Amino acid sequence: MTARMDVLLGAQWGDEGKGKVVDVVAPDYDIIARFQGGPNAGHTLIFDGRKHVLHTIPSGVFREGTVNLVGNGVVIDPVTLVKEIRDLEAAGVDVRKNLLISRRAHLILPTHRALDAASEAEKGVGRIGSTLKGIGPTYMDKTGRNGLRVGDLELTDRMERYQALTRKHERLLALHDRPGAAPEASEEWLTAIETLRTLQLVDSEHYLDQALRQGKRILAEGAQGTLLDIDFGTYPFVTSSNTVSAGACTGLGIAPTRIGKVIGIFKAYCTRVGSGPFPTELSDATGERIRQVGREFGSTTGRARRCGWLDLPALHYAVMINGVTELAMMKADVLSGMSDLRVCTAYRVNGQVTDRMPYDISSTIEPVLEPVEGWGELRADRPIPTGLQHYIGLIEQHVGVPVKLVSLGPDRDQTLLRDKTLVN
Ligand code: IMP
């Protein structure tokens, strides 16, 4: 029997702490593979007193011997990638040896970023709150069959292809009444693709197939979160890729029959960055407290994240869509010491109570909040306090899968494994 690929992904609106969990479980895997998104992601890892934020490179990069693959479903900004490599090298990490890039991954051009900015500006108050990294326009070119792929950089006519796409973008930018990307941005991009060409470019679907046949263990690392999925998220306030587990199949070229565990990461509360509906949002001092204690500011854009209570119908939805087999709960420590904790167990939609996520979760839906017992200080060398045990029990009862890991702080060491089968 061949080995299987596990998937780890966000079960909320992103920023759940996926990078930390990947880093904790990475020693169990031979390969960590990103399957969607791009530099809109910011996966934060903290160990040995240092903080690292990864945007494109998978979070296995700090583990000796782990192969890190950027899959075909990812959109790559060469400038960000090269900068990330340089920063890691400066921190003493030998990145290039174990970094593989899919030839089928699409490239973000400077003009994609300009188009992102133009589109957001035109939307005005209805803007998505995009990270402005060029994600939407790049995926539009992919599905529109105009995109430039990493593999194209190996072709002799790569410059012609680049120029043709740039010209098309300039025509679009003129329609938006916006000039194109600054010449220095293009210069920087062209320099970065020369470095990208020196990296290990692979046909990742074949590489991963062979790895599985050899019994290697693969972890697919999701970016953003389920509720930002292009199909199942809170459209149109979503990102442009499939962040759900099915995205790991198309974003890596792995058949659904080869998926093993699906690990869903969620925070003990909810956050959202950018615009869009957020039923349990707290626009008061409690929300501000969570933001300050949880340091809820974007790792990619620095924006303040909106904060609110844990939303169980939304989490249940994420478990269903992704086929989550186990959960990891992050940042339980942020709620320590709070006496007025609440959790959303259902929604009230047009006067009817439902635990189903409706088509439209705009302001017309009202969260049904239940008070829950709080807990005090959490430490990895002490048993889980009763209040937190009850909280976990309530979650498991609602969503029907076990919470196997509880994170008590940003460091690798501040992690409690409730069930050792999460790592094996
Ligand atoms: P885009 O993918 O940069 O166009 O952003 C679309 C929406 O997804 C915006 O609301 C962003 O704030 C949000 N978003 C994109 N990437 C992330 C992420 O990694 N974490 C959290 N939110 C994200």
Side-chain angles (χ1 to χ4, degrees), residues 11-12 227 265-266 310-320 327 347 357 395 399:
Q12 295 165 322
L227 301 170
I265 315 298
F266 73 104
L310 180 63
D311 183 335
L312 289 176
L315 188 60
H316 193 194
Y317 184 75
V319 167
M320 176 188 86
L327 287 163
Y347 300 136
M357 182 104 170
I395 296 166
V399 305

Side-chain angles (χ1 to χ4, degrees), residues 13-15 18 38-43 116 120 128-137 223-225 228 236-240 272-276 299-301 303 305:
W13 278 282
D15 307 315
K18 296 175 288 290
N40 48 350
H43 292 173
D116 213 355
E120 279 287 79
I128 311 292
S130 164
T131 60
L132 302 180
K133 303 292 178 193
I135 306 297
Q224 291 83 49
L228 289 173
F237 301 100
V238 292
T239 190
S240 299
R272 168 159 211 170
V273 61
S275 333
S299 45
T300 298
T301 57
R303 291 179 292 177
R305 296 180 186 141

Side-chain angles (χ1 to χ4, degrees), residues 14-26:
D15 307 315
E16 296 93 351
K18 296 175 288 290
K20 170 176 167 170
V21 184
V22 174
D23 180 55
V24 169
V25 302

